[in-house]
Amino acid sequence: MIVCRVFSSKCFIEGGRILVDRPPFSQLVTSLPSVVPFVPPEEMERRTGISLRLRLGANESPFGMSPQAEEAMKKAVEVSHFYGDALCHDLREALADVHNISPDQLVFGSGIDELLGLIARVFLNPGDAVTTSLGGYPTFEYHVKSVGAQLHHVPYQGDFNDLDGLIRTAEETGSRILYLANPDNPTGTFFSHQELRPFLDRLPSGCLLLLDEAYLEFAPSASWLPIDASDPRIIRTRTFSKAHGMAGARIGYAIAEEKTVQAFNKIRNHFGINRAAQAGALASLKDESFLTFVTDEVAKGRKEYAALADELGLRAIPSATNFVAIDVGSADRARSIMDALWKEGVFIRVPGAPPLNQLIRVGVGTSEERQAFADSLRRVVKNV
């Protein structure tokens, strides 16, 4: 082996090849595991050679997007050689009107996932404490770890997030962020405003409540926690991925106090929301009849899944989302059912943390998809 120097970089000649030293990664990146929150179903198809016929594991909307949104996006594609509006002005104004807030209390991202990363960067220093539920949304944890903060987990209490435990842990650890998904992923359970008001009042000083409301449109609107965008203790995240059926367009938003939004503007990707996504979201927001159709159909499908679970001697957790979690009795059985369904071309998911890992989580499909899933689950359960 010959050691040489090329452009001030150390290099090695081995087997006739020049190998240049790679600049070292940061200590933080080096310390992180080589994992991602979710393996996409497309990659799972490539690995297994199985083509999906029912895609019910990613909480997408099989009802698609509003026809008005689709038409608006097609028109926007014609001018996509221009950057999107970095301020999302038209959509911002419309959402501000819908929520009766100031446009300056909104920030946009390519889905809630990007917003969670922004929130972690704005509020967390390496070593800071963060409180979340054990088995909650893994992408949030992914972002927390990426900035070197420390996660503190609170087990679920039955089917629900443990509100008392979350507050107590946030107090004991001095957490900078307390994360709560409401409605919850992966259980689908929901807390009303009567339950959340005292929870918010007990939030420790200096702790941010990050309220992930990705599935809120599927919950009873009379029970939603009213918006007070002037409260600096809370950030609420919303998305067009679920009820609006625009998961692939990647657009979501957060409602926050104005100074918090100003902090986001220091670091966000200002041209991250493309023109088509902005146009589609604006058109979808105005198509209330389509949103009503989707939420009504999902409510119908949830009842069908509950009846199916009862028929098979299983337990469906009452859901306020576009999916249903079904308790099959054990983690081993849940994994076996998921694997057997995959072999039939049916994609569902199983949560990773106990005791949630004894659940199978199934998205509410169209009427035809729900029937096909029921047929497959009946066959599989008999043998597992």
Side-chain angles (χ1 to χ4, degrees):
M1 180 177 67
I2 300 174
V3 179
C4 63
R5 293 206 171 266
V6 178
F7 301 113
S8 301
S9 294
K10 191 175 181 181
C11 68
F12 306 91
I13 299 177
E14 289 184 352
R17 295 189 304 154
I18 298 178
L19 307 177
V20 180
D21 268 359
R22 177 187 294 108
F25 299 133
S26 71
Q27 293 179 0
L28 175 58
V29 168
T30 301
S31 71
L32 294 174
S34 298
V35 296
V36 296
F38 297 105
V39 177
E42 293 86 355
E43 176 61 15
M44 294 163 64
E45 286 180 304
R46 288 188 287 267
R47 291 179 183 179
T48 63
I50 294 174
S51 297
L52 292 176
R53 59 185 179 88
L54 293 176
R55 181 170 166 144
L56 302 175
N59 303 345
E60 300 151 324
S61 176
F63 307 102
M65 69 179 72
S66 156
Q68 295 179 29
E70 186 175 350
E71 185 62 28
M73 293 179 77
K74 288 178 180 178
K75 291 181 179 178
V77 167
E78 297 175 1
V79 289
S80 286
H81 51 289
F82 296 131
Y83 290 113
D85 180 354
L87 298 179
C88 298
H89 177 272
D90 293 346
L91 180 58
R92 182 186 302 273
E93 293 288 328
L95 277 169
D97 185 60
V98 166
H99 297 309
N100 194 27
I101 60 177
S102 166
D104 294 330
Q105 294 169 324
L106 288 163
V107 62
F108 294 86
S110 56
I112 287 179
D113 288 355
E114 183 185 33
L115 291 166
L116 295 177
L118 286 174
I119 292 167
R121 290 170 60 196
V122 165
F123 284 94
L124 297 176
N125 304 298
D128 282 347
V130 174
T131 294
T132 186
S133 297
L134 179 63
Y137 190 45
T139 301
F140 172 65
E141 300 195 7
Y142 174 80
H143 286 301
V144 169
K145 292 176 182 177
S146 77
V147 297
Q150 300 298 313
L151 287 156
H152 297 271
H153 295 103
V154 177
Y156 280 69
Q157 191 173 58
D159 299 328
F160 288 82
N161 289 280
D162 181 359
L163 296 185
D164 289 338
L166 288 168
I167 289 292
R168 185 170 57 252
T169 300
E171 289 175 338
E172 293 172 351
T173 61
S175 287
R176 294 286 300 274
I177 295 177
L178 192 166
Y179 174 84
L180 176 68
N182 190 57
D184 182 59
N185 179 14
T187 66
T189 53
F190 175 68
F191 290 113
S192 69
H193 63 84
Q194 291 95 337
E195 296 163 295
L196 287 182
R197 284 188 185 279
F199 175 74
L200 180 58
D201 290 341
R202 295 173 56 199
L203 195 68
S205 176
C207 181
L208 170 75
L209 174 60
L210 173 46
L211 191 60
D212 184 339
E213 298 179 316
Y215 301 92
L216 192 65
E217 290 92 345
F218 300 106
S221 58
S223 298
W224 296 1
L225 180 70
I227 293 173
D228 179 5
S230 65
D231 189 341
R233 300 174 301 164
I234 181 172
I235 296 177
R236 307 167 74 136
T237 56
R238 306 274 181 94
T239 186
F240 286 89
S241 294
K242 306 303 180 185
H244 291 272
M246 296 179 58
R250 308 311 301 133
I251 182 164
Y253 63 98
I255 301 170
E257 185 261 346
E258 291 181 21
K259 288 186 178 179
T260 301
V261 172
Q262 291 171 10
F264 286 136
N265 286 334
K266 294 180 179 180
I267 63 169
R268 71 179 179 90
N269 180 2
H270 286 260
F271 291 99
I273 312 298
N274 64 68
R275 283 180 173 267
Q278 292 183 41
L282 179 59
S284 186
L285 192 67
K286 296 176 179 179
D287 193 352
E288 296 180 3
S289 62
F290 179 78
L291 192 63
T292 298
F293 158 73
V294 171
T295 54
D296 286 350
E297 190 66 18
V298 167
K300 179 181 177 182
R302 291 189 309 226
K303 291 180 180 178
E304 291 178 10
Y305 282 175
L308 174 65
D310 187 62
E311 170 197 328
L312 297 175
L314 308 174
R315 183 180 69 93
I317 298 174
S319 173
T321 66
N322 66 343
F323 61 84
V324 174
I326 300 174
D327 189 338
V328 301
S330 73
D332 287 343
R333 193 181 191 204
R335 176 64 62 174
S336 296
I337 289 173
M338 181 182 69
D339 291 344
L341 286 172
W342 178 266
K343 292 177 181 178
E344 292 201 6
V346 179
F347 168 51
I348 65 167
R349 278 201 166 109
V350 170
L356 303 181
N357 58 356
Q358 66 184 41
L359 307 175
I360 59 171
R361 195 194 65 189
V362 187
V364 175
T366 63
S367 177
E368 294 77 13
E369 288 174 329
R370 298 194 299 266
Q371 184 58 57
F373 169 73
D375 292 342
S376 287
L377 186 63
R378 289 186 182 106
R379 284 194 298 271
V380 164
V381 166
K382 289 181 181 178
N383 301 313
V384 174

